[in-house]
Amino acid sequence: MLSEQEQIRRDSLQKIIDYGINPYPAAEFKFSHYSIDILENFKEGEKVIIAGRLMRRKIQGKASFGSILDSKGKIQVYFNRDVICPSEDKSMYNDFFKKWLDLGDILGIEGKVFKTMVGEISINVDKFHLLSKSLKPLPQPKTDNQGIIHDGFNDPELRYRRRYVDLVVNENVKETFIKRTKIINSMRNFLSKKDFLEVETPILQTIPGGAAAKPFITHHNALDVPLYLRIANELYLKRLIVGGFDGVYEFAKDFRNEGMDRTHNPEFTQMEIYVAYKDYQWMMNFTEDMLEFICNEVLGTTQVKIGNEKVNFKKPFRRISMTDSILEHTGIDISNMSEKELRKACKSIGVEVSDSMGKGKLIDEIFGEKCEGSYIQPTFITDYPVEMSPLCKKHRDNPELTERFELMVNGKELANAYSELNDPIDQKERFEEQVKLAEKGDDEAMFIDLDFIRALEYGMPPTSGMGIGIDRLVMFLCNQPSIQEVLLFPQMKPEKWETGPNKSEFLEINIPPQWIIPIYESGYTTKELLLEAKPTAVHQKLNGYRKKNKLDIPAVLLEEVLSWFK
RNA sequence: GAUUCGUUAGCUCAGCUGGUAGAGCACAUCCCUUUUAAGGAUGGGGUCCUGGGUUCGAACCCCAGACGAAUCACCA
């Protein structure tokens, strides 16, 4: 059912067509300027052609003001009847402009630049062209002179579902996504300048490896095998290091079939990089360099406001081992504890544990509960327990630990890196440990990838690898509190659509076609619902609907309604 | 999955102790040649999320459900 305003717009559309104007012309529209060019470089009397959406219109007799929104901003346009219609025929102004155009229509404007009496740079319109008619009214947020937004389009659900409306109506939203692209470009520049090779690896994988997470499963018909959407690309990038590339990276969409909240979306972007002959110490320096570079290039500063915190991405970042961090925050020294002792320690400080947790998971629980949140400034947490990191090389000084770091920012994990495990025998044993964990009930334990082991058997140089969450980085640098704000189209529950009446079932009981919509709109959405109702009530409702909607069909007779019920 | 809050016009929101559904913007008609969130006048527009219940009477109270948001849990 169309709203009154939608119906009015459709009527205007018909009048425009009847007037002889195509509301959806095909031809290229050549424009000479963006709004911002005109505003920043004012030349009185300059002839300009612009294109954009009509966002404001104020008719004042023979003169009118409007605003045109293009991809770079807004500019005011001034319509004068006798300029637009120099001859006797004033219909272009009186009818077409004043009556048949609506806010949201996309126009091409030809005119001359001038300043109004109040001093606003505007375009005095000579000619305007309808480039596309808008049939649905946009929300109309307005900003007053104190910067307060009235009638904002704020409902997060509507904003995400109708991102196109959000982008039109809420200026800062566009900025976030422009910045997102700048951040990615800046990272790519940094990496390619260092001669690393950007590559693409499979998204459909037969074994979802490289991380611990539940995958999405799909099926390949021709091969008749299950395929998984990747949860990570790590194992493929390492195969390329085996193949002899010294440095490879990929901006990768990964998919994890897990919960959604303001920091998790089922599909998300990671940048992973692997560099031969390096270790995790080198990678820490590299990561600092990269983040400092990006901040300076995109923001012009390393000082970033995140919520109420001020975070500084200037290197060097603090480095602390996980053991020291736990000692610092809980006073407990876990360095020589057995699994049993760890369990006890967890209980003593109120960290909940379950039987399926191994030693590594216990330590991680403590860290997650007691330490993680306190690292606001960029901090490298290093040397994770070996059980948690099945793809990571054992620490050179302590076989219980691994050469791994995570970069914490604002209490969240931003990046994760290893000195990569390149010993195929050790790797096989670690995978087997994972299988045992899976049997114990850990549904996120890793799958064994025998081809990856085989690749390592051919020999992989010592390598360091790092993955960084692009969505989180963008959240930080744009000071956005949720991942939905930095994804153009965040995952949403499917929308329910009104499907309309099933016409054939109504036709079956001899209902005339012109009455089907009124019956449906009156609440009798199925044949069953209709036949459950009282014929007299149906009769009255339908004629009421006819009157209200001024239908151009004869009123239905009670006998006719009764005949449907036979 | 748990808790809390919410769902009223196209948009943003009021709606008192249960008593005839409201405002601003948007829209329509008319007037107006320079307005800066809203020029003037007039007008149209509602499944008060859905379904039950209580009541003479429900947007409002009760029960159930749908949808959404926040927080928590889950997610190295």
Side-chain angles (χ1 to χ4, degrees), chain A residues 58 76 142 258 264 444:
Chain A
K58 185 157 164 181
Q76 177 164 274
K142 292 189 180 66
E258 293 169 345
H264 297 85
E444 283 171 355

mmCIF file with all atom_site columns, all heavy atoms in Angstrom, chain A residues 58 76 142 258 264 444, chain B residues 12 25 35 37 44 75-76:
data_model
loop_
_atom_site.group_PDB
_atom_site.id
_atom_site.type_symbol
_atom_site.label_atom_id
_atom_site.label_alt_id
_atom_site.label_comp_id
_atom_site.label_asym_id
_atom_site.label_entity_id
_atom_site.label_seq_id
_atom_site.pdbx_PDB_ins_code
_atom_site.Cartn_x
_atom_site.Cartn_y
_atom_site.Cartn_z
_atom_site.occupancy
_atom_site.B_iso_or_equiv
_atom_site.pdbx_formal_charge
_atom_site.auth_seq_id
_atom_site.auth_comp_id
_atom_site.auth_asym_id
_atom_site.auth_atom_id
_atom_site.pdbx_PDB_model_num
ATOM 1   N N     . LYS A 1 58  ? 12.288  25.882  -1.443 1.00 0.00 ? 58  LYS A N     1
ATOM 2   C CA    . LYS A 1 58  ? 11.463  26.859  -0.765 1.00 0.00 ? 58  LYS A CA    1
ATOM 3   C C     . LYS A 1 58  ? 10.924  27.790  -1.829 1.00 0.00 ? 58  LYS A C     1
ATOM 4   O O     . LYS A 1 58  ? 11.667  28.528  -2.463 1.00 0.00 ? 58  LYS A O     1
ATOM 5   C CB    . LYS A 1 58  ? 12.333  27.630  0.229  1.00 0.00 ? 58  LYS A CB    1
ATOM 6   C CG    . LYS A 1 58  ? 11.568  28.578  1.047  1.00 0.00 ? 58  LYS A CG    1
ATOM 7   C CD    . LYS A 1 58  ? 12.352  28.839  2.298  1.00 0.00 ? 58  LYS A CD    1
ATOM 8   C CE    . LYS A 1 58  ? 11.836  30.060  2.975  1.00 0.00 ? 58  LYS A CE    1
ATOM 9   N NZ    . LYS A 1 58  ? 12.606  30.342  4.176  1.00 0.00 ? 58  LYS A NZ    1
ATOM 10  N N     . GLN A 1 76  ? 23.553  25.965  -2.919 1.00 0.00 ? 76  GLN A N     1
ATOM 11  C CA    . GLN A 1 76  ? 22.224  26.542  -3.082 1.00 0.00 ? 76  GLN A CA    1
ATOM 12  C C     . GLN A 1 76  ? 21.978  26.923  -4.537 1.00 0.00 ? 76  GLN A C     1
ATOM 13  O O     . GLN A 1 76  ? 22.880  27.411  -5.224 1.00 0.00 ? 76  GLN A O     1
ATOM 14  C CB    . GLN A 1 76  ? 22.087  27.773  -2.186 1.00 0.00 ? 76  GLN A CB    1
ATOM 15  C CG    . GLN A 1 76  ? 20.765  28.479  -2.350 1.00 0.00 ? 76  GLN A CG    1
ATOM 16  C CD    . GLN A 1 76  ? 20.464  29.450  -1.214 1.00 0.00 ? 76  GLN A CD    1
ATOM 17  O OE1   . GLN A 1 76  ? 19.938  29.083  -0.183 1.00 0.00 ? 76  GLN A OE1   1
ATOM 18  N NE2   . GLN A 1 76  ? 20.840  30.699  -1.430 1.00 0.00 ? 76  GLN A NE2   1
ATOM 19  N N     . LYS A 1 142 ? 17.543  18.196  9.696  1.00 0.00 ? 142 LYS A N     1
ATOM 20  C CA    . LYS A 1 142 ? 17.958  19.590  9.504  1.00 0.00 ? 142 LYS A CA    1
ATOM 21  C C     . LYS A 1 142 ? 18.924  19.952  10.609 1.00 0.00 ? 142 LYS A C     1
ATOM 22  O O     . LYS A 1 142 ? 18.742  19.545  11.754 1.00 0.00 ? 142 LYS A O     1
ATOM 23  C CB    . LYS A 1 142 ? 16.745  20.507  9.583  1.00 0.00 ? 142 LYS A CB    1
ATOM 24  C CG    . LYS A 1 142 ? 15.814  20.323  8.446  1.00 0.00 ? 142 LYS A CG    1
ATOM 25  C CD    . LYS A 1 142 ? 14.745  21.404  8.447  1.00 0.00 ? 142 LYS A CD    1
ATOM 26  C CE    . LYS A 1 142 ? 13.812  21.198  7.278  1.00 0.00 ? 142 LYS A CE    1
ATOM 27  N NZ    . LYS A 1 142 ? 13.036  19.963  7.423  1.00 0.00 ? 142 LYS A NZ    1
ATOM 28  N N     . GLU A 1 258 ? 29.842  -17.308 13.626 1.00 0.00 ? 258 GLU A N     1
ATOM 29  C CA    . GLU A 1 258 ? 29.773  -17.111 15.068 1.00 0.00 ? 258 GLU A CA    1
ATOM 30  C C     . GLU A 1 258 ? 28.852  -15.950 15.383 1.00 0.00 ? 258 GLU A C     1
ATOM 31  O O     . GLU A 1 258 ? 28.205  -15.411 14.505 1.00 0.00 ? 258 GLU A O     1
ATOM 32  C CB    . GLU A 1 258 ? 31.192  -16.858 15.599 1.00 0.00 ? 258 GLU A CB    1
ATOM 33  C CG    . GLU A 1 258 ? 32.051  -18.107 15.457 1.00 0.00 ? 258 GLU A CG    1
ATOM 34  C CD    . GLU A 1 258 ? 33.513  -17.863 15.720 1.00 0.00 ? 258 GLU A CD    1
ATOM 35  O OE1   . GLU A 1 258 ? 33.926  -16.685 15.747 1.00 0.00 ? 258 GLU A OE1   1
ATOM 36  O OE2   . GLU A 1 258 ? 34.251  -18.847 15.888 1.00 0.00 ? 258 GLU A OE2   1
ATOM 37  N N     . HIS A 1 264 ? 31.784  -7.762  16.001 1.00 0.00 ? 264 HIS A N     1
ATOM 38  C CA    . HIS A 1 264 ? 31.890  -8.954  15.149 1.00 0.00 ? 264 HIS A CA    1
ATOM 39  C C     . HIS A 1 264 ? 30.825  -8.956  14.068 1.00 0.00 ? 264 HIS A C     1
ATOM 40  O O     . HIS A 1 264 ? 29.642  -8.785  14.356 1.00 0.00 ? 264 HIS A O     1
ATOM 41  C CB    . HIS A 1 264 ? 31.720  -10.227 15.979 1.00 0.00 ? 264 HIS A CB    1
ATOM 42  C CG    . HIS A 1 264 ? 32.778  -10.431 17.013 1.00 0.00 ? 264 HIS A CG    1
ATOM 43  N ND1   . HIS A 1 264 ? 32.719  -9.868  18.265 1.00 0.00 ? 264 HIS A ND1   1
ATOM 44  C CD2   . HIS A 1 264 ? 33.940  -11.116 16.967 1.00 0.00 ? 264 HIS A CD2   1
ATOM 45  C CE1   . HIS A 1 264 ? 33.804  -10.214 18.952 1.00 0.00 ? 264 HIS A CE1   1
ATOM 46  N NE2   . HIS A 1 264 ? 34.556  -10.966 18.190 1.00 0.00 ? 264 HIS A NE2   1
ATOM 47  N N     . GLU A 1 444 ? 36.123  -25.486 18.248 1.00 0.00 ? 444 GLU A N     1
ATOM 48  C CA    . GLU A 1 444 ? 36.858  -24.556 17.395 1.00 0.00 ? 444 GLU A CA    1
ATOM 49  C C     . GLU A 1 444 ? 38.283  -25.007 17.143 1.00 0.00 ? 444 GLU A C     1
ATOM 50  O O     . GLU A 1 444 ? 39.091  -24.260 16.593 1.00 0.00 ? 444 GLU A O     1
ATOM 51  C CB    . GLU A 1 444 ? 36.883  -23.187 18.040 1.00 0.00 ? 444 GLU A CB    1
ATOM 52  C CG    . GLU A 1 444 ? 35.548  -22.532 17.851 1.00 0.00 ? 444 GLU A CG    1
ATOM 53  C CD    . GLU A 1 444 ? 35.440  -21.288 18.651 1.00 0.00 ? 444 GLU A CD    1
ATOM 54  O OE1   . GLU A 1 444 ? 36.381  -21.004 19.411 1.00 0.00 ? 444 GLU A OE1   1
ATOM 55  O OE2   . GLU A 1 444 ? 34.441  -20.609 18.515 1.00 0.00 ? 444 GLU A OE2   1
ATOM 56  P P     . U   B 2 12  ? 12.503  8.292   12.261 1.00 0.00 ? 12  U   B P     1
ATOM 57  O OP1   . U   B 2 12  ? 13.782  7.591   12.467 1.00 0.00 ? 12  U   B OP1   1
ATOM 58  O OP2   . U   B 2 12  ? 11.220  7.613   12.511 1.00 0.00 ? 12  U   B OP2   1
ATOM 59  O "O5'" . U   B 2 12  ? 12.510  9.626   13.135 1.00 0.00 ? 12  U   B "O5'" 1
ATOM 60  C "C5'" . U   B 2 12  ? 13.683  10.434  13.196 1.00 0.00 ? 12  U   B "C5'" 1
ATOM 61  C "C4'" . U   B 2 12  ? 13.429  11.603  14.117 1.00 0.00 ? 12  U   B "C4'" 1
ATOM 62  O "O4'" . U   B 2 12  ? 12.380  12.427  13.560 1.00 0.00 ? 12  U   B "O4'" 1
ATOM 63  C "C3'" . U   B 2 12  ? 12.897  11.225  15.493 1.00 0.00 ? 12  U   B "C3'" 1
ATOM 64  O "O3'" . U   B 2 12  ? 13.938  10.802  16.354 1.00 0.00 ? 12  U   B "O3'" 1
ATOM 65  C "C2'" . U   B 2 12  ? 12.236  12.520  15.931 1.00 0.00 ? 12  U   B "C2'" 1
ATOM 66  O "O2'" . U   B 2 12  ? 13.188  13.457  16.369 1.00 0.00 ? 12  U   B "O2'" 1
ATOM 67  C "C1'" . U   B 2 12  ? 11.630  13.019  14.616 1.00 0.00 ? 12  U   B "C1'" 1
ATOM 68  N N1    . U   B 2 12  ? 10.215  12.633  14.466 1.00 0.00 ? 12  U   B N1    1
ATOM 69  C C2    . U   B 2 12  ? 9.272   13.475  15.026 1.00 0.00 ? 12  U   B C2    1
ATOM 70  O O2    . U   B 2 12  ? 9.563   14.490  15.620 1.00 0.00 ? 12  U   B O2    1
ATOM 71  N N3    . U   B 2 12  ? 7.966   13.083  14.855 1.00 0.00 ? 12  U   B N3    1
ATOM 72  C C4    . U   B 2 12  ? 7.532   11.950  14.205 1.00 0.00 ? 12  U   B C4    1
ATOM 73  O O4    . U   B 2 12  ? 6.325   11.724  14.132 1.00 0.00 ? 12  U   B O4    1
ATOM 74  C C5    . U   B 2 12  ? 8.565   11.118  13.660 1.00 0.00 ? 12  U   B C5    1
ATOM 75  C C6    . U   B 2 12  ? 9.841   11.481  13.805 1.00 0.00 ? 12  U   B C6    1
ATOM 76  P P     . C   B 2 25  ? 6.506   23.213  10.814 1.00 0.00 ? 25  C   B P     1
ATOM 77  O OP1   . C   B 2 25  ? 6.901   24.565  10.388 1.00 0.00 ? 25  C   B OP1   1
ATOM 78  O OP2   . C   B 2 25  ? 5.102   22.768  10.642 1.00 0.00 ? 25  C   B OP2   1
ATOM 79  O "O5'" . C   B 2 25  ? 7.443   22.144  10.089 1.00 0.00 ? 25  C   B "O5'" 1
ATOM 80  C "C5'" . C   B 2 25  ? 8.846   22.346  10.003 1.00 0.00 ? 25  C   B "C5'" 1
ATOM 81  C "C4'" . C   B 2 25  ? 9.532   21.076  9.558  1.00 0.00 ? 25  C   B "C4'" 1
ATOM 82  O "O4'" . C   B 2 25  ? 9.161   19.994  10.451 1.00 0.00 ? 25  C   B "O4'" 1
ATOM 83  C "C3'" . C   B 2 25  ? 9.130   20.557  8.181  1.00 0.00 ? 25  C   B "C3'" 1
ATOM 84  O "O3'" . C   B 2 25  ? 9.821   21.210  7.140  1.00 0.00 ? 25  C   B "O3'" 1
ATOM 85  C "C2'" . C   B 2 25  ? 9.532   19.093  8.291  1.00 0.00 ? 25  C   B "C2'" 1
ATOM 86  O "O2'" . C   B 2 25  ? 10.927  18.928  8.174  1.00 0.00 ? 25  C   B "O2'" 1
ATOM 87  C "C1'" . C   B 2 25  ? 9.110   18.780  9.728  1.00 0.00 ? 25  C   B "C1'" 1
ATOM 88  N N1    . C   B 2 25  ? 7.733   18.238  9.750  1.00 0.00 ? 25  C   B N1    1
ATOM 89  C C2    . C   B 2 25  ? 7.552   16.910  9.369  1.00 0.00 ? 25  C   B C2    1
ATOM 90  O O2    . C   B 2 25  ? 8.546   16.247  9.042  1.00 0.00 ? 25  C   B O2    1
ATOM 91  N N3    . C   B 2 25  ? 6.313   16.391  9.359  1.00 0.00 ? 25  C   B N3    1
ATOM 92  C C4    . C   B 2 25  ? 5.268   17.141  9.708  1.00 0.00 ? 25  C   B C4    1
ATOM 93  N N4    . C   B 2 25  ? 4.072   16.580  9.678  1.00 0.00 ? 25  C   B N4    1
ATOM 94  C C5    . C   B 2 25  ? 5.423   18.501  10.106 1.00 0.00 ? 25  C   B C5    1
ATOM 95  C C6    . C   B 2 25  ? 6.664   19.007  10.110 1.00 0.00 ? 25  C   B C6    1
ATOM 96  P P     . U   B 2 35  ? 15.769  37.490  2.423  1.00 0.00 ? 35  U   B P     1
ATOM 97  O OP1   . U   B 2 35  ? 14.628  38.423  2.463  1.00 0.00 ? 35  U   B OP1   1
ATOM 98  O OP2   . U   B 2 35  ? 17.109  37.942  2.849  1.00 0.00 ? 35  U   B OP2   1
ATOM 99  O "O5'" . U   B 2 35  ? 15.403  36.190  3.246  1.00 0.00 ? 35  U   B "O5'" 1
ATOM 100 C "C5'" . U   B 2 35  ? 14.075  35.669  3.228  1.00 0.00 ? 35  U   B "C5'" 1
ATOM 101 C "C4'" . U   B 2 35  ? 14.145  34.182  3.284  1.00 0.00 ? 35  U   B "C4'" 1
ATOM 102 O "O4'" . U   B 2 35  ? 14.568  33.660  1.998  1.00 0.00 ? 35  U   B "O4'" 1
ATOM 103 C "C3'" . U   B 2 35  ? 15.180  33.636  4.259  1.00 0.00 ? 35  U   B "C3'" 1
ATOM 104 O "O3'" . U   B 2 35  ? 14.656  33.609  5.561  1.00 0.00 ? 35  U   B "O3'" 1
ATOM 105 C "C2'" . U   B 2 35  ? 15.441  32.237  3.706  1.00 0.00 ? 35  U   B "C2'" 1
ATOM 106 O "O2'" . U   B 2 35  ? 14.444  31.339  4.099  1.00 0.00 ? 35  U   B "O2'" 1
ATOM 107 C "C1'" . U   B 2 35  ? 15.312  32.473  2.196  1.00 0.00 ? 35  U   B "C1'" 1
ATOM 108 N N1    . U   B 2 35  ? 16.616  32.614  1.521  1.00 0.00 ? 35  U   B N1    1
ATOM 109 C C2    . U   B 2 35  ? 17.327  31.466  1.250  1.00 0.00 ? 35  U   B C2    1
ATOM 110 O O2    . U   B 2 35  ? 16.930  30.363  1.573  1.00 0.00 ? 35  U   B O2    1
ATOM 111 N N3    . U   B 2 35  ? 18.515  31.652  0.622  1.00 0.00 ? 35  U   B N3    1
ATOM 112 C C4    . U   B 2 35  ? 19.053  32.841  0.226  1.00 0.00 ? 35  U   B C4    1
ATOM 113 O O4    . U   B 2 35  ? 20.136  32.870  -0.343 1.00 0.00 ? 35  U   B O4    1
ATOM 114 C C5    . U   B 2 35  ? 18.263  33.991  0.535  1.00 0.00 ? 35  U   B C5    1
ATOM 115 C C6    . U   B 2 35  ? 17.095  33.845  1.163  1.00 0.00 ? 35  U   B C6    1
ATOM 116 P P     . A   B 2 37  ? 19.467  28.686  10.133 1.00 0.00 ? 37  A   B P     1
ATOM 117 O OP1   . A   B 2 37  ? 18.931  29.629  11.112 1.00 0.00 ? 37  A   B OP1   1
ATOM 118 O OP2   . A   B 2 37  ? 20.924  28.390  10.119 1.00 0.00 ? 37  A   B OP2   1
ATOM 119 O "O5'" . A   B 2 37  ? 18.690  27.310  10.265 1.00 0.00 ? 37  A   B "O5'" 1
ATOM 120 C "C5'" . A   B 2 37  ? 18.908  26.304  9.295  1.00 0.00 ? 37  A   B "C5'" 1
ATOM 121 C "C4'" . A   B 2 37  ? 17.742  25.356  9.320  1.00 0.00 ? 37  A   B "C4'" 1
ATOM 122 O "O4'" . A   B 2 37  ? 17.777  24.586  10.549 1.00 0.00 ? 37  A   B "O4'" 1
ATOM 123 C "C3'" . A   B 2 37  ? 16.366  25.995  9.353  1.00 0.00 ? 37  A   B "C3'" 1
ATOM 124 O "O3'" . A   B 2 37  ? 15.967  26.412  8.061  1.00 0.00 ? 37  A   B "O3'" 1
ATOM 125 C "C2'" . A   B 2 37  ? 15.517  24.834  9.872  1.00 0.00 ? 37  A   B "C2'" 1
ATOM 126 O "O2'" . A   B 2 37  ? 15.293  23.888  8.847  1.00 0.00 ? 37  A   B "O2'" 1
ATOM 127 C "C1'" . A   B 2 37  ? 16.460  24.224  10.906 1.00 0.00 ? 37  A   B "C1'" 1
ATOM 128 N N9    . A   B 2 37  ? 16.186  24.742  12.244 1.00 0.00 ? 37  A   B N9    1
ATOM 129 C C8    . A   B 2 37  ? 16.745  25.806  12.877 1.00 0.00 ? 37  A   B C8    1
ATOM 130 N N7    . A   B 2 37  ? 16.281  26.012  14.085 1.00 0.00 ? 37  A   B N7    1
ATOM 131 C C5    . A   B 2 37  ? 15.351  25.004  14.245 1.00 0.00 ? 37  A   B C5    1
ATOM 132 C C6    . A   B 2 37  ? 14.503  24.659  15.305 1.00 0.00 ? 37  A   B C6    1
ATOM 133 N N6    . A   B 2 37  ? 14.465  25.326  16.456 1.00 0.00 ? 37  A   B N6    1
ATOM 134 N N1    . A   B 2 37  ? 13.696  23.594  15.142 1.00 0.00 ? 37  A   B N1    1
ATOM 135 C C2    . A   B 2 37  ? 13.737  22.927  13.987 1.00 0.00 ? 37  A   B C2    1
ATOM 136 N N3    . A   B 2 37  ? 14.499  23.155  12.916 1.00 0.00 ? 37  A   B N3    1
ATOM 137 C C4    . A   B 2 37  ? 15.286  24.213  13.121 1.00 0.00 ? 37  A   B C4    1
ATOM 138 P P     . G   B 2 44  ? -8.958  18.212  7.062  1.00 0.00 ? 44  G   B P     1
ATOM 139 O OP1   . G   B 2 44  ? -10.367 17.758  7.159  1.00 0.00 ? 44  G   B OP1   1
ATOM 140 O OP2   . G   B 2 44  ? -8.168  18.509  8.281  1.00 0.00 ? 44  G   B OP2   1
ATOM 141 O "O5'" . G   B 2 44  ? -8.146  17.148  6.198  1.00 0.00 ? 44  G   B "O5'" 1
ATOM 142 C "C5'" . G   B 2 44  ? -8.710  16.603  5.005  1.00 0.00 ? 44  G   B "C5'" 1
ATOM 143 C "C4'" . G   B 2 44  ? -7.660  15.791  4.275  1.00 0.00 ? 44  G   B "C4'" 1
ATOM 144 O "O4'" . G   B 2 44  ? -6.486  16.618  4.045  1.00 0.00 ? 44  G   B "O4'" 1
ATOM 145 C "C3'" . G   B 2 44  ? -7.106  14.600  5.057  1.00 0.00 ? 44  G   B "C3'" 1
ATOM 146 O "O3'" . G   B 2 44  ? -7.935  13.463  4.916  1.00 0.00 ? 44  G   B "O3'" 1
ATOM 147 C "C2'" . G   B 2 44  ? -5.750  14.387  4.387  1.00 0.00 ? 44  G   B "C2'" 1
ATOM 148 O "O2'" . G   B 2 44  ? -5.884  13.717  3.157  1.00 0.00 ? 44  G   B "O2'" 1
ATOM 149 C "C1'" . G   B 2 44  ? -5.311  15.833  4.120  1.00 0.00 ? 44  G   B "C1'" 1
ATOM 150 N N9    . G   B 2 44  ? -4.445  16.364  5.176  1.00 0.00 ? 44  G   B N9    1
ATOM 151 C C8    . G   B 2 44  ? -4.776  17.251  6.174  1.00 0.00 ? 44  G   B C8    1
ATOM 152 N N7    . G   B 2 44  ? -3.763  17.559  6.943  1.00 0.00 ? 44  G   B N7    1
ATOM 153 C C5    . G   B 2 44  ? -2.706  16.820  6.422  1.00 0.00 ? 44  G   B C5    1
ATOM 154 C C6    . G   B 2 44  ? -1.350  16.737  6.837  1.00 0.00 ? 44  G   B C6    1
ATOM 155 O O6    . G   B 2 44  ? -0.793  17.319  7.770  1.00 0.00 ? 44  G   B O6    1
ATOM 156 N N1    . G   B 2 44  ? -0.619  15.858  6.043  1.00 0.00 ? 44  G   B N1    1
ATOM 157 C C2    . G   B 2 44  ? -1.140  15.165  4.978  1.00 0.00 ? 44  G   B C2    1
ATOM 158 N N2    . G   B 2 44  ? -0.297  14.364  4.313  1.00 0.00 ? 44  G   B N2    1
ATOM 159 N N3    . G   B 2 44  ? -2.399  15.242  4.573  1.00 0.00 ? 44  G   B N3    1
ATOM 160 C C4    . G   B 2 44  ? -3.115  16.081  5.340  1.00 0.00 ? 44  G   B C4    1
ATOM 161 P P     . C   B 2 75  ? 33.760  -18.716 23.953 1.00 0.00 ? 75  C   B P     1
ATOM 162 O OP1   . C   B 2 75  ? 34.351  -20.067 23.864 1.00 0.00 ? 75  C   B OP1   1
ATOM 163 O OP2   . C   B 2 75  ? 34.221  -17.782 25.007 1.00 0.00 ? 75  C   B OP2   1
ATOM 164 O "O5'" . C   B 2 75  ? 33.955  -17.998 22.558 1.00 0.00 ? 75  C   B "O5'" 1
ATOM 165 C "C5'" . C   B 2 75  ? 33.573  -18.662 21.353 1.00 0.00 ? 75  C   B "C5'" 1
ATOM 166 C "C4'" . C   B 2 75  ? 33.679  -17.698 20.206 1.00 0.00 ? 75  C   B "C4'" 1
ATOM 167 O "O4'" . C   B 2 75  ? 32.817  -16.573 20.441 1.00 0.00 ? 75  C   B "O4'" 1
ATOM 168 C "C3'" . C   B 2 75  ? 35.055  -17.075 20.020 1.00 0.00 ? 75  C   B "C3'" 1
ATOM 169 O "O3'" . C   B 2 75  ? 35.868  -17.970 19.282 1.00 0.00 ? 75  C   B "O3'" 1
ATOM 170 C "C2'" . C   B 2 75  ? 34.723  -15.804 19.251 1.00 0.00 ? 75  C   B "C2'" 1
ATOM 171 O "O2'" . C   B 2 75  ? 34.541  -16.058 17.882 1.00 0.00 ? 75  C   B "O2'" 1
ATOM 172 C "C1'" . C   B 2 75  ? 33.374  -15.410 19.869 1.00 0.00 ? 75  C   B "C1'" 1
ATOM 173 N N1    . C   B 2 75  ? 33.523  -14.387 20.912 1.00 0.00 ? 75  C   B N1    1
ATOM 174 C C2    . C   B 2 75  ? 33.556  -13.048 20.529 1.00 0.00 ? 75  C   B C2    1
ATOM 175 O O2    . C   B 2 75  ? 33.477  -12.758 19.328 1.00 0.00 ? 75  C   B O2    1
ATOM 176 N N3    . C   B 2 75  ? 33.682  -12.096 21.482 1.00 0.00 ? 75  C   B N3    1
ATOM 177 C C4    . C   B 2 75  ? 33.770  -12.442 22.761 1.00 0.00 ? 75  C   B C4    1
ATOM 178 N N4    . C   B 2 75  ? 33.884  -11.471 23.660 1.00 0.00 ? 75  C   B N4    1
ATOM 179 C C5    . C   B 2 75  ? 33.733  -13.802 23.186 1.00 0.00 ? 75  C   B C5    1
ATOM 180 C C6    . C   B 2 75  ? 33.611  -14.736 22.229 1.00 0.00 ? 75  C   B C6    1
ATOM 181 P P     . A   B 2 76  ? 37.454  -17.884 19.107 1.00 0.00 ? 76  A   B P     1
ATOM 182 O OP1   . A   B 2 76  ? 37.717  -16.810 18.122 1.00 0.00 ? 76  A   B OP1   1
ATOM 183 O OP2   . A   B 2 76  ? 37.949  -19.251 18.898 1.00 0.00 ? 76  A   B OP2   1
ATOM 184 O "O5'" . A   B 2 76  ? 38.003  -17.472 20.548 1.00 0.00 ? 76  A   B "O5'" 1
ATOM 185 C "C5'" . A   B 2 76  ? 38.675  -16.294 20.731 1.00 0.00 ? 76  A   B "C5'" 1
ATOM 186 C "C4'" . A   B 2 76  ? 39.838  -16.548 21.655 1.00 0.00 ? 76  A   B "C4'" 1
ATOM 187 O "O4'" . A   B 2 76  ? 40.717  -17.542 21.131 1.00 0.00 ? 76  A   B "O4'" 1
ATOM 188 C "C3'" . A   B 2 76  ? 40.676  -15.292 21.893 1.00 0.00 ? 76  A   B "C3'" 1
ATOM 189 O "O3'" . A   B 2 76  ? 41.127  -15.273 23.240 1.00 0.00 ? 76  A   B "O3'" 1
ATOM 190 C "C2'" . A   B 2 76  ? 41.845  -15.542 20.943 1.00 0.00 ? 76  A   B "C2'" 1
ATOM 191 O "O2'" . A   B 2 76  ? 42.967  -14.840 21.288 1.00 0.00 ? 76  A   B "O2'" 1
ATOM 192 C "C1'" . A   B 2 76  ? 42.019  -17.035 21.135 1.00 0.00 ? 76  A   B "C1'" 1
ATOM 193 N N9    . A   B 2 76  ? 42.772  -17.685 20.060 1.00 0.00 ? 76  A   B N9    1
ATOM 194 C C8    . A   B 2 76  ? 43.998  -18.292 20.217 1.00 0.00 ? 76  A   B C8    1
ATOM 195 N N7    . A   B 2 76  ? 44.490  -18.790 19.110 1.00 0.00 ? 76  A   B N7    1
ATOM 196 C C5    . A   B 2 76  ? 43.530  -18.480 18.174 1.00 0.00 ? 76  A   B C5    1
ATOM 197 C C6    . A   B 2 76  ? 43.445  -18.724 16.795 1.00 0.00 ? 76  A   B C6    1
ATOM 198 N N6    . A   B 2 76  ? 44.365  -19.377 16.094 1.00 0.00 ? 76  A   B N6    1
ATOM 199 N N1    . A   B 2 76  ? 42.361  -18.288 16.146 1.00 0.00 ? 76  A   B N1    1
ATOM 200 C C2    . A   B 2 76  ? 41.414  -17.660 16.834 1.00 0.00 ? 76  A   B C2    1
ATOM 201 N N3    . A   B 2 76  ? 41.362  -17.375 18.120 1.00 0.00 ? 76  A   B N3    1
ATOM 202 C C4    . A   B 2 76  ? 42.468  -17.806 18.744 1.00 0.00 ? 76  A   B C4    1
#
